[in-house]
Amino acid sequence: MRAFRYNILTQFYFNPILRLYDSNGNKIAENDGYHELDPLLDWKCTQSGTYVLEVRDLLGDSNPGDVYHLTMGSEPYNKMLFPPGGRAGSTVSVNLVGNNIGADTGSYQLHVPVTTGLNTVNTSFGPAQFFSTPYPVTLDTDTAQTTVLPAGFAGRLLQAGKSDSFYVTGGGAWYFRLFCSQLGGSGDAEMELDDSKGHVVAKQRNDRTGEWFTIGLRPKDVYTLHITSSEDSGRCVYFVEARPLTSTISAAIRPDISRIYAGSSTTLMVRIFNRGPAAGPITISALKLPPGVHINPAVVAPDQDRVPVVLTADADAQPSIHRIVFQVSKQIGNRVFSSVCTAQQPVQMQQDTRYFDVPECVMQVSKSPPLSASINAPDGTIALRAHGGVEIPLHITWSPDANSPVITRVEGLPRGWTSDGQSISPGQSDIKILIRPYDNETEDYAKRDPKFPPVMAVIELVDKDNPIVVGTYRVVLAPPQKKAA
């Protein structure tokens, strides 16, 4: 059954379950989740007769959005090609494995697409996914050799907790990315890179994030690349591509839908995925904004991978809905590299926020906000303490028709500090926001390169998921307090 895979938002109102009954109403089999929340029954009919297949919500609810597609029959599933990747333009021997197609269909020759990346190829059991790389490929049968990067790595894990390990070498900066669920396999595989002393230098815990990890390797050193699965199903086919870090840049804007009130400011978060080998600052600009809405200057320092971007609407900005587009840029010598930010939709899944690419980012301009606030911060600066918290006084002025509480939030704090959100009821005018050290990770910021652009934190009040900016403040580290004599 396919439902969740059509629209992940159905998880909020549709958790499908399949039940199979015989002609006497006796339950034979049931399932409430195989492909994430989508159920699957693998049942062998031993006696001809009339059977009933029931589709319903796990909680017995119904909704107009409960849309699904049900397939019945001797259908293959979990189709995977092994190996799942090869060098572009070459011819490789592959096997098609999976359920209802036999453990091994025999080897046949596949012409690897010349288009690099994920490709759909035809098999005798329908389409399957295959990864094409421009680099030489090392298989899990060749793990004893040392592979010189750039390269691809392909294999299949049949037991939980077992790992394939590849020895790699190559000085310079590299991208590594793991593909597993995109190839039809389990998404529970993880990738880890260890140095010659066994220390973990990089790790990707789940291939569903779609993110690369970037790492600089020392020349002549030999590193170990581990691929591990937590499943015993044999569904873990994987492909890892390690390619040179190039002078490109990519980023995402979150969330994909936002609101801004006339005469106030709001924030969106820009996440940098790839900044290339030059570790200089990255500037964020807007290509499309609603009339009367402006972007405040934003810079991502070399030691940051995400920053809040502040947008401000004029007091006379008219209510409207517009598509918005942002761009990230960096300069290397006389060349400017830039890229449009990908819009990403946040979705809560099992108490964890995941982000999914969507076609566009949309902003709604509304009338005046339900409140305004101010902070007494000298010179627009917040001085953090390496030990002990700092309280920021906040004064709020509510509009007469405000009827719902807001949550405090501080975005853009350097690593090592946090601020716990607190709920503020309408009419409550004076509070204090506490910014405190977190997990004893303040040392990195204390040693921060003074040449880097300053860290800018945004204090905001969140009204029904809509951030209202109180102010943007430069973050500095307060000098150590002298002990009393």
Side-chain angles (χ1 to χ4, degrees), residues 355-420:
Y355 292 90
F356 297 86
D357 293 353
V358 293
E360 59 185 11
C361 195
V362 177
M363 171 168 281
Q364 177 181 355
V365 181
S366 298
K367 295 181 179 179
S368 56
L371 53 85
S372 62
S374 61
I375 287 178
N376 181 20
D379 303 323
T381 299
I382 296 176
L384 303 180
R385 296 194 182 100
H387 304 284
V390 56
E391 289 186 331
I392 309 297
L394 179 66
H395 179 77
I396 303 173
T397 302
W398 296 84
S399 65
D401 56 349
N403 56 13
S404 60
V406 295
I407 306 295
T408 64
R409 188 166 70 187
V410 183
E411 295 279 24
L413 288 172
R415 181 180 176 182
W417 280 270
T418 188
S419 175
D420 299 324

Side-chain angles (χ1 to χ4, degrees), residues 299-335:
V299 177
V300 188
D303 60 338
Q304 295 176 294
D305 65 355
R306 67 191 71 196
V307 295
V309 176
V310 179
L311 303 172
T312 301
D314 296 336
D316 57 354
Q318 296 301 307
S320 59
I321 297 177
H322 290 269
R323 177 175 178 243
I324 57 177
V325 179
F326 294 87
Q327 176 180 270
V328 289
S329 305
K330 67 175 182 180
Q331 184 168 349
I332 303 178
N334 296 325
R335 295 188 61 187

Side-chain angles (χ1 to χ4, degrees), residues 15-230:
N15 293 296
I17 183 172
L18 290 179
R19 292 192 178 101
L20 182 67
Y21 301 89
D22 63 17
S23 58
N24 296 320
N26 299 312
K27 184 172 67 175
I28 301 172
E30 76 173 22
N31 184 262
D32 61 1
Y34 182 84
H35 296 285
E36 297 280 1
L37 297 183
D38 285 347
L40 179 143
L41 293 178
D42 191 337
W43 169 72
K44 183 177 181 179
C45 182
T46 59
Q47 183 177 357
S48 299
T50 301
Y51 296 84
V52 175
L53 183 66
E54 179 187 60
V55 179
R56 67 179 300 163
D57 180 75
L58 187 63
L59 300 179
D61 295 331
S62 62
N63 187 288
D66 293 353
V67 177
Y68 65 88
H69 180 258
L70 185 64
T71 303
M72 293 179 284
S74 298
E75 296 290 325
Y77 63 95
N78 292 339
K79 297 193 303 288
M80 299 172 289
L81 287 172
F82 178 74
R87 192 165 190 175
S90 67
T91 299
V92 296
S93 296
V94 297
N95 293 319
L96 184 68
V97 296
N99 298 78
N100 290 347
I101 57 176
D104 191 335
T105 63
S107 177
Y108 68 95
Q109 300 300 300
L110 174 71
H111 297 289
V112 180
V114 295
T115 303
T116 58
L118 283 170
N119 287 272
T120 300
V121 297
N122 293 323
T123 73
S124 56
F125 286 87
Q129 298 301 306
F130 193 84
F131 195 91
S132 176
T133 179
Y135 311 116
V137 176
T138 300
L139 300 179
D140 56 359
T141 55
D142 301 320
T143 55
Q145 70 181 45
T146 298
T147 301
V148 179
L149 302 181
F153 304 87
R156 184 184 184 195
L157 295 169
L158 300 178
Q159 297 181 11
K162 298 294 184 180
S163 297
D164 284 345
S165 299
F166 301 88
Y167 300 106
V168 303
T169 185
W174 303 94
Y175 296 131
F176 284 78
R177 183 172 176 183
L178 168 68
F179 296 88
C180 185
S181 60
Q182 302 96 325
L183 298 167
S186 163
D188 291 324
E190 69 175 32
M191 170 176 59
E192 177 181 301
L193 188 68
D194 297 349
D195 62 17
S196 57
K197 297 181 179 179
H199 299 147
V200 178
V201 295
K203 194 168 189 175
Q204 183 180 348
R205 297 186 179 278
N206 192 303
D207 79 307
R208 299 183 192 279
T209 60
E211 299 178 12
W212 299 78
F213 69 61
T214 61
I215 190 73
L217 303 185
R218 295 183 295 271
K220 299 182 180 181
D221 280 11
V222 177
Y223 297 79
T224 307
L225 178 67
H226 301 284
I227 313 298
T228 309
S229 173
S230 61

Side-chain angles (χ1 to χ4, degrees), residues 324-354:
I324 57 177
V325 179
F326 294 87
Q327 176 180 270
V328 289
S329 305
K330 67 175 182 180
Q331 184 168 349
I332 303 178
N334 296 325
R335 295 188 61 187
V336 175
F337 297 86
S338 61
S339 174
V340 172
C341 295
T342 301
Q344 288 193 333
Q345 177 187 50
V347 176
Q348 290 292 326
M349 299 180 65
Q350 301 177 351
Q351 298 182 346
D352 181 34
T353 302
R354 299 186 187 178

